[in-house]
C-alpha cells in the first residue's frame, strides 16, 4: 500500500471545500492501492473555510489541516503542506477543481511506472480567461525561458504528483520568496506532463487579478534569473561608450573650429533625462534583488501556524 498525501491550499473557499473533498474522495476510493492523507491548509481565510475543513476532518480521520495565523499566500501554504505530508507520494491540488481529480489514477500509474519522479499537469488553452491575461502569460513564459537556466513549462499548473525524494528536494529549498513553478523545475528530476483543456472554477472567485499576476511574474523572474542585473550593467556600459564617443567628437570639433556656436541644448536635455531614467531603472532592478536579500536575511518564518490537526 502507498500513502498518497494530498496538499490543498485554501483561501476563502468555503463553497469549494466540500465539493472538492467529495470529488477527490470518490476518485481515491477507486484507487485500491493507495491510502490517502489530506492536508488542507487554511491560508488565513476570512470566511468559514476552516469550519468546513474541520467538519470534514471529524468524519474522516485521514483529513488533517493547518490553519495559518493570517494570509501568507499560496506558496507558503504549499510549503507548509509539503512539510507535514508523510506520504511516499505527494500531490498538490487547488481546491477549486481547476485541477481535475480524475487525473489522479493516471498520475499515480505514471509515477508508479518508475519512469518519472513527478507527473505534472499543463493546460493547453485558457478558455474563460481574458485575452490580455493570456497574452501576458505567454510573454512571461517566453521571457523567463530565454533569460533563466531554470526552464518553466508554459501552462504548467502547480497540480503535480511527486515522489518522496522529490518532495524532500523541494523542502530543502528554504527560500523566503517562493516561486513554485521555478522550484519544481530547479530541483530537476524527471517530469511527465499531462495536457488538458482549461477547466473553470466550481465556485468562488480567483484572487489573482492581472496586476497581482504581473507582480508575481516579475518576482518569479528575479527569483530565477540574474539577467535583469546584467541588463543594468549592459545599459551602463553602452551609455558610457556612447558618452566617450561624444566627448571625443566635441574635442575634435573644438580643435577644428574653436569658434563654433553653442547649439543643441534641447537634445542635451533629452539625453540627460534619458540617462537619468536609465539610472533609475537600473537602481530599481538592483533594488528588487536587494529587497529579496533583505527579506531572506531577516530569516522570518515562511508561515505561522495557529491551529493544526
Ligand atoms: N490560495 C491560497 N492563498 C492565497 C491565494 C490562493 O492558498 O493567498 C489557494 C486557493 O484557495 C486555491 C489555489 O490557491 O486553492 C489557487 O488559487 P486561485 O484559484 O485563486 O488561482 P488560479 O487557479 O486562478 O491560478
Ligand atoms: Mg483556480
Amino acid at each position: 500500500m502507498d500513502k498518497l498525501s494530498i496538499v490543498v491550499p485554501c483561501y476563502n473557499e468555503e463553497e469549494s471545500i466540500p465539493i472538492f473533498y467529495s470529488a477527490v474522495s470518490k476518485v481515491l476510493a477507486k484507487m485500491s492501492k493507495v491510502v490517502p492523507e489530506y492536508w488542507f491548509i487554511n491560508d488565513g481565510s476570512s470566511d468559514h473555510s476552516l469550519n468546513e475543513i474541520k467538519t470534514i476532518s471529524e468524519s474522516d480521520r485521514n483529513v488533517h489541516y493547518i490553519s495559518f495565523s493570517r494570509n501568507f499566500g499560496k506558496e507558503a501554504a504549499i510549503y507548509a503542506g509539503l512539510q507535514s505530508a508523510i506520504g511516499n507520494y505527494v500531490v498538490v491540488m487547488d481546491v477549486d477543481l481547476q485541477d481535475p481529480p480524475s487525473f489522479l489514477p493516471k498520475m499515480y500509474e505514471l509515477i508508479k511506472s518508475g519512469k518519472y519522479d513527478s507527473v505534472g499537469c499543463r493546460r493547453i488553452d485558457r478558455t474563460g480567461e481574458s485575452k490580455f491575461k493570456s497574452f501576458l502569460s505567454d510573454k512571461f513564459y517566453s521571457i523567463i525561458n530565454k533569460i533563466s537556466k531554470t526552464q518553466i513549462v508554459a501552462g504548467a499548473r502547480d497540480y503535480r504528483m511527486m515522489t518522496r525524494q522529490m518532495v524532500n528536494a523541494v523542502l530543502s529549498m528554504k527560500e523566503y520568496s517562493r516561486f513554485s513553478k521555478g522550484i519544481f523545475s530547479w530541483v530537476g528530476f524527471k517530469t511527465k506532463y499531462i495536457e488538458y483543456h482549461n477547466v473553470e472554477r466550481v465556485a468562488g472567485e480567483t484572487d489573482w487579478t492581472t496586476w497581482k499576476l504581473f507582480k508575481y511574474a516579475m518576482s518569479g523572474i528575479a527569483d530565477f534569473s540574474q539577467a535583469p542585473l546584467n541588463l543594468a550593467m549592459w545599459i551602463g556600459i553602452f551609455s558610457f561608450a556612447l558618452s566617450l564617443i561624444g566627448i571625443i567628437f566635441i574635442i575634435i570639433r573644438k580643435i577644428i573650429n574653436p569658434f563654433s556656436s553653442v547649439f543643441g541644448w534641447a537634445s542635451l536635455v533629452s539625453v540627460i533625462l534619458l540617462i537619468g531614467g536609465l539610472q533609475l531603472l537600473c537602481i530599481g532592478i538592483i533594488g528588487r534583488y536587494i529587497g529579496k536579500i533583505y527579506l531572506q536575511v531577516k530569516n522570518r518564518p515562511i508561515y505561522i501556524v495557529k491551529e493544526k490537526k
Side-chain angles (χ1 to χ4, degrees):
M1 284 297 229
D2 279 321
K3 196 169 193 91
L4 176 64
S5 306
I6 299 141
V7 169
V8 200
C10 309
Y11 178 53
N12 292 343
E13 303 274 11
E14 56 182 8
E15 287 167 78
S16 309
I17 290 165
I19 310 175
F20 171 87
Y21 174 71
S22 71
V24 173
S25 54
K26 245 183 232 139
V27 174
L28 288 174
K30 290 196 198 110
M31 296 168 67
S32 52
K33 287 189 193 120
V34 300
V35 186
E37 175 205 46
Y38 296 83
W39 279 100
F40 285 94
I41 321 299
N42 174 36
D43 185 12
S45 303
S46 52
D47 66 357
H48 297 107
S49 293
L50 184 58
N51 288 342
E52 293 293 340
I53 298 170
K54 281 183 175 165
T55 314
I56 297 170
S57 88
E58 271 155 26
S59 64
D60 182 344
R61 62 189 176 83
N62 292 321
V63 175
H64 304 274
Y65 60 82
I66 300 172
S67 186
F68 287 174
S69 60
R70 65 166 169 88
N71 179 250
F72 280 88
K74 183 183 176 185
E75 300 289 348
I78 292 178
Y79 187 62
L82 292 180
Q83 276 187 319
S84 299
I86 56 161
N88 29 3
Y89 296 100
V90 180
V91 59
V92 178
M93 280 178 98
D94 281 7
V95 73
D96 57 12
L97 290 183
Q98 279 194 298
D99 298 335
S102 56
F103 290 175
L104 288 170
K106 176 102 189 280
M107 291 165 99
Y108 178 69
E109 193 189 306
L110 281 167
I111 211 164
K112 260 320 243 190
S113 75
K115 280 190 240 158
Y116 309 101
D117 306 285
S118 146
V119 181
C121 291
R122 182 179 160 248
R123 334 184 248 193
I124 49 174
D125 61 40
R126 287 174 173 263
T127 24
E129 234 181 61
S130 81
K131 284 241 159 44
F132 182 58
K133 223 171 173 177
S134 318
F135 169 79
L136 284 183
S137 311
D138 285 346
K139 282 283 154 286
F140 164 71
Y141 287 114
S142 71
I143 291 172
I144 196 160
N145 285 331
K146 271 200 196 94
I147 64 176
S148 170
K149 279 193 198 128
T150 309
Q151 292 299 297
I152 293 171
V153 175
R157 305 213 16 114
D158 290 336
Y159 185 22
R160 66 171 66 219
M161 193 180 285
M162 293 171 274
T163 58
R164 170 54 41 195
Q165 190 188 22
M166 178 156 168
V167 172
N168 289 345
V170 169
L171 288 175
S172 73
M173 295 179 74
K174 300 191 188 338
E175 58 214 66
Y176 184 81
S177 172
R178 304 188 71 78
F179 185 63
S180 282
K181 287 180 200 303
I183 290 175
F184 289 146
S185 161
W186 192 92
V187 293
F189 298 104
K190 224 171 154 154
T191 302
K192 164 84 182 163
Y193 284 97
I194 298 179
E195 294 180 348
Y196 72 107
H197 291 284
N198 191 31
V199 183
E200 292 187 41
R201 302 183 134 254
V202 286
E205 262 174 42
T206 178
D207 182 45
W208 293 93
T209 56
T210 308
W211 177 237
K212 223 176 143 185
L213 268 179
F214 180 74
K215 286 199 292 187
Y216 177 66
M218 287 296 144
S219 165
I221 289 178
D223 282 332
F224 281 92
S225 169
Q226 292 182 21
L229 283 175
N230 296 337
L231 178 77
M233 189 186 73
W234 285 114
I235 291 176
I237 291 175
F238 179 73
S239 67
F240 177 67
L242 210 63
S243 71
L244 274 186
I245 296 170
I247 290 169
I248 293 168
F249 172 77
I250 289 165
I251 292 174
I252 293 175
R253 196 178 63 179
K254 194 78 191 165
I255 295 168
I256 295 172
N257 182 4
F259 303 107
S260 73
S261 58
V262 178
F263 61 91
W265 64 270
S267 52
L268 195 65
V269 169
S270 43
V271 168
I272 290 172
L273 284 178
L274 176 78
I275 302 294
L278 289 177
Q279 282 175 337
L280 288 179
L281 173 78
C282 297
I283 292 175
I285 292 174
I286 297 167
R288 271 217 87 102
Y289 286 85
I290 293 181
K292 298 230 175 237
I293 300 169
Y294 172 64
L295 283 175
Q296 185 67 45
V297 296
K298 277 200 284 193
N299 214 4
R300 288 186 179 161
I302 294 170
Y303 58 86
I304 289 170
V305 177
K306 187 168 173 219
E307 267 180 72
K308 183 168 177 178
K309 189 193 146 203

